Each structure stands twice: as C-alpha cells, then as structure tokens.
Amino acid sequence: MSCCGPNRRQALGLLAAAAALPLVRPGSARAQADSLIATDLEVVTITERSAVLTWTTLGADGLAAATDSEVWLGPADGSSLRQVFGDSRPTAYHYAEVTGLEPGRAYRFEARSAGIPAVPALNVATRLPDTPESRGVFTTLVPPPGRLLRTLALSNDIHLGEEVSGIIAAGLPPGLRQEPGLTPYPEVMLTALLDDMHRPDRAVDHLVLAGDLTAEATPEQVRGVHAHLARWGAPGRDWFAARGNHDRPHVGPEYAECTPYTDHHDCWADSFGPRQRLAAHEVGELRLIALDTTQLDGSGGILERPQLDELRDRLTADPDRPTLVFGHHPVTTESGWSNLAGPGFILDAANAAALQSIYRDAPGVFLHHAGHTHRNRRTRPDLPILVDFLEVAATKEYPGGYTLLRLFEGGYMANFHKTRTEDARRWSSRSRGEYFGLLPEYTLGSTADRNYTVLRDLSGLSRS
C-alpha cells in the first residue's frame, strides 16, 4: 500500500504510536524444552465443508524450523479429538486444509507440529476471546440453497516490480525486502495465485483483479503481468482487470515508448485499456463491470463524469441483471474512516455518493469488489441498498491470497484463501513483520470479514 496526500500525516502518526509499543517475538513465551515454538496459528478459511489453518514453527533462536504438520479435530461438545490431517514433509510454514466437514457444525481443533500445539501470535486479531484461534473452536458455514453456478476469484494489489514492501510514505515505516537469492516476492505471489487458480479443488471459472497489478506501470512491468495472466487464460473470458493507482500514467524517460496521455505516458493502456474507461463483460447471464477509479497523479480515487454516465446507462438498460462491479478504490464512508490512511485514500465522496445512487436503481448489482487498503474488510453502504462492499487483502504480502466467490442459485459464499506454495508461505510469514509487526492487526480481518454467506436470488444465472 502506498499513501500520499492529506492523510499521510495521520497514517504516519498511527504507525509512530505503534512503534512505541513493546515488541515481543511471536510465541516466545511458549518456548519448549525441545526448543521448538509453534506460533502464528490462524484459521484463515472456513467454508461449509472445509477449513484452512496456517502456522509457523521456529527454533529457540527465533529462526524458521522445519517439522511436520498435524490437525486434530472433534465435535465442539465432545471430549476427544482425532487426527484429520497429517503431512510428514518438513516445513516451517504450515498449511493444512481439512475437508469432509458438515455444514453449520462447530468443531474443536488443535494444530500441532512435532506434537507441540500451535498458538496464535501475540496479535489482537487472533487473540480476542471470540476468535476461533483463542477458543479452539470454529463453526462451518451454511451454503446458500440451490446449485453451484460459477466460481470467481477476487484478487488485487500484486505490485509486480516492487522491491520493498510495507512503506507508506517517505521511507516509513521500514519496509521489507525479499531474502537474497530468492525470486522477487511479487512474482512469487502472482505465480502462487495462478497456481491456485489451476487446482481442481478451487475450480475457478474467472479471475477478477481490482488494480495495482504493477509497482509503477513501467513498460516491462505491464508487459510482465499481462504475460503471466495470458499464460493462465484469455483476457475478457478467463480473467478481467481494473486499473489501480500504481498502474496510472507516469512521467519520465522510461515511459516514453508508451501511449502519450496529456504530459504523461500510459503503459497500462497499451496492454489493458485507456484511462477512466469502463469495461463491461458478460459471462453467461453474469455481468462484470470494471471501473477505473484512478487519479492522474495521487493515491485517492475519482470517477470522471463520462464513466459514471456510461455506468448509469448500462445499469438502467438492464437493472435486474446479476452484476458484480470492481474497481481499485473502496467506496463507503465506513471504509474511509476505518482504513489506515483515512477518507482521502478511498473514492472521492461525491463520486461515492453518485455511485451508490446508481446502484440504488439497479437491484441486480450484488457486490462491489475493491482493493487498495490491502485488508479483508466488509463495510456498510451509505444508502439502504443491497450491495456487498468487499475489500480483499493484497496478493503481494501477508496474508497473501484471494477471495473465492462461489455463486449459487440462492446466493453466494465468500472465502479468503492464502496462496499455498512453499515460497509464497515463506514470504507471507516474513512480511508479517511489516508495520513494526502489526500488519496482521490491520490486514487479516475478522473471521466474518473473510468467510461469509449471503442469501440472494441468483437463479437467473446459468451453470458455467
């Protein structure tokens, strides 16, 4: 996440206050006689029939220590647990997906490495009394009624070409680099994302990317991210992308080969599409609309009048068609006051009001997907409209993943998943240290922000 503009001071003030807190190595209070520490336990994903748990193992020296992975499970009202997951391959970055669960049921669980129970890190996000990690209990979701129709993956903030992660402004707070000799982390995380999209247990039909695919939209970065995506599938059929503020037109000699735009050059336009241009796609009866919410310079969001007018015209012409809208900048007032950089970091207030007014007259719009804040967060609309405003955590850094959106005849289910390659899990664990070690407090989101079901009539969609 990059921050510039009037809210920079606020963001840096919050981080300066955080820096004054005492720093404790996660899990250090649980050092065992055998020198192994199992920490950073997170119940990341809870679906109707599965759950994904992640944790890290460290030696007494605080360095990564590879060992086995186990999950033990039982009914929440029972006394005994049985092993339901086991992987003897040694790793320090544990990823366990438990399947075969029953919908709407509470389960007691324990994750173990070398027989040692994993505990949550010293983060409020997982230490609050009502979290699955603190209670040792999670409850599976109940899916919407009807058949599964389509599966979409929602992603954003890849920042291909970036070398330092976690800087907000003026070099602060101190950022993190990839370990020497390893593949740059944006490429690691993008490759891991696309690897997950190929896996049959995800069964992804379409990948929807809400901006900041590049670090600074150089010709090499734009061509590089487009090539990665094109190897996975076809643009406009398999994947769909909106522009983010990092993908905006730039100035400087390194951009001179790209399409001129005022006194800038727009490399994104050469591979993806012009600035402030709406892109509408139809996949069966589902409509996907990508908005370009970027300013020419700056990190805040705007929608210029022609784009708003086109959106209104399209939705008015077919207001009941099931529609998912995506753009880089969040929209709601709640997002403005709750994100680290403040109201200036999201869509301009007048544009946000106009956008929600358009949605009020188009009941087919059911979800607005945004990125930019690098966090998992659902926020309330400012008008009484049945639109789900969802921010998805960044792909490029902790927690490092995407939201799987499964559309049923009677609604949809959203579940955040971390990417699972070994290199991705290693970088995700390393990048937990951003923001003076407080990144999980901001970006992971609550269990309800990451995993939820919405009942909604989507029976007009055909099976993909």
Side-chain angles (χ1 to χ4, degrees):
M1 178 173 58
S2 63
C3 174
C4 53
N7 295 288
R8 177 186 298 176
R9 198 170 301 169
Q10 174 191 357
L12 294 179
L14 287 171
L15 289 168
L21 297 174
L23 294 181
V24 182
R25 180 181 299 277
S28 60
R30 289 187 56 86
Q32 305 292 326
D34 59 3
S35 302
L36 188 72
I37 301 164
T39 186
D40 300 345
L41 173 66
E42 293 171 355
V43 185
V44 182
T45 311
I46 305 170
T47 76
E48 76 278 29
R49 295 195 178 276
S50 66
V52 178
L53 294 80
T54 63
W55 67 97
T56 307
T57 45
L58 308 173
D61 56 3
L63 299 179
T67 184
D68 63 351
S69 312
E70 293 181 356
V71 176
W72 292 67
L73 201 71
D77 55 0
S79 57
S80 62
L81 302 179
R82 65 183 181 89
Q83 185 178 344
V84 294
F85 177 90
D87 191 343
S88 60
R89 293 173 297 180
T91 182
Y93 314 104
H94 305 267
Y95 181 107
E97 184 163 9
V98 178
T99 59
L101 307 181
E102 297 180 11
R105 186 173 180 184
Y107 291 91
R108 197 157 55 88
F109 71 93
E110 195 171 89
R112 303 174 185 172
S113 286
I116 298 172
V119 298
L122 298 179
N123 295 116
V124 173
T126 48
R127 288 277 183 170
L128 289 172
D130 61 344
T131 64
E133 296 83 359
S134 290
R135 296 175 61 222
V137 174
F138 65 80
T139 301
T140 52
L141 299 180
V142 176
R147 301 175 303 162
L148 175 64
L149 302 174
R150 286 183 182 272
T151 300
L152 287 72
L154 310 181
S155 175
N156 43 263
D157 295 280
I158 294 166
H159 292 213
L160 191 74
E162 185 178 87
E163 296 181 356
V164 183
S165 184
I167 292 177
I168 288 183
L172 294 173
L176 291 176
R177 294 179 178 271
Q178 176 64 289
E179 297 168 79
L182 297 184
T183 302
Y185 62 83
E187 187 171 342
V188 166
M189 302 307 281
L190 175 57
T191 301
L193 170 71
L194 299 179
D195 177 77
D196 252 28
M197 301 301 98
H198 278 298
R199 294 181 183 240
D201 58 345
R202 295 294 178 258
V204 172
D205 297 308
H206 311 290
L207 174 59
V208 179
L209 301 132
D212 277 7
L213 276 60
T214 69
E216 293 299 336
T218 65
E220 181 181 15
Q221 292 169 9
V222 172
R223 288 193 293 262
V225 76
H226 194 279
H228 274 281
L229 293 169
R231 284 193 292 270
W232 179 77
R237 185 193 70 191
D238 302 314
W239 58 268
F240 311 87
R243 185 197 300 253
N245 59 296
H246 282 263
D247 309 316
R248 67 190 185 276
H250 284 65
V251 297
E254 63 269 40
Y255 299 94
E257 70 180 75
C258 300
T259 298
Y261 186 90
T262 65
D263 57 344
H264 297 58
H265 286 85
D266 190 359
C267 301
W268 176 271
D270 295 339
S271 295
F272 290 91
R275 181 178 173 271
Q276 280 292 318
R277 187 77 56 84
L278 176 153
H281 309 275
E282 295 179 359
V283 287
E285 290 78 18
L286 175 65
R287 179 168 51 191
L288 300 173
I289 296 181
L291 300 177
D292 183 344
T293 59
T294 62
Q295 298 179 17
L296 184 56
D297 294 295
S299 62
I302 60 169
L303 283 168
E304 294 175 359
R305 177 53 58 185
Q307 194 173 186
L308 272 172
D309 289 343
E310 182 180 356
L311 177 65
R312 180 181 292 105
D313 291 344
R314 285 183 176 274
L315 294 182
T316 299
D318 195 359
D320 296 315
R321 188 186 191 110
T323 301
L324 186 154
V325 182
F326 61 106
H328 190 59
H329 293 82
V331 174
T332 67
T333 299
E334 182 183 345
S335 180
W337 62 253
S338 64
N339 87 81
L340 185 62
F345 201 58
I346 69 167
L347 189 64
D348 171 80
N351 289 158
L355 184 64
Q356 292 178 76
S357 178
I358 293 171
Y359 290 168
R360 182 177 53 194
D361 298 324
V365 178
F366 63 91
L367 188 141
H368 185 110
H369 160 218
H372 198 43
T373 58
H374 294 203
R375 62 180 180 170
N376 290 308
R377 182 69 182 253
R378 296 176 74 195
T379 61
R380 296 181 298 268
D382 302 316
L383 296 176
I385 53 178
L386 296 178
V387 179
D388 190 7
F389 288 90
L390 176 63
E391 298 162 41
V392 175
T395 295
K396 79 177 182 80
E397 65 196 347
Y398 172 90
Y402 57 94
T403 288
L404 204 65
L405 189 73
R406 289 181 292 153
L407 307 182
F408 296 80
E409 290 174 315
Y412 58 89
M413 183 179 293
N415 296 105
F416 180 78
H417 290 264
K418 290 182 179 180
T419 52
R420 61 183 120 171
T421 67
E422 180 78 10
D423 288 345
R425 288 182 281 133
R426 179 172 182 154
W427 169 253
S428 181
S429 178
R430 178 174 175 80
S431 58
R432 289 178 66 97
E434 293 177 24
Y435 296 5
F436 307 105
L438 296 178
L439 186 66
E441 310 287 15
Y442 180 62
T443 60
L444 180 61
S446 70
T447 303
D449 284 323
R450 302 192 306 272
N451 304 284
Y452 61 91
T453 297
V454 174
L455 300 180
R456 178 109 180 201
D457 183 8
L458 297 177
S459 58
L461 299 178
S462 62
R463 187 192 294 269
S464 60

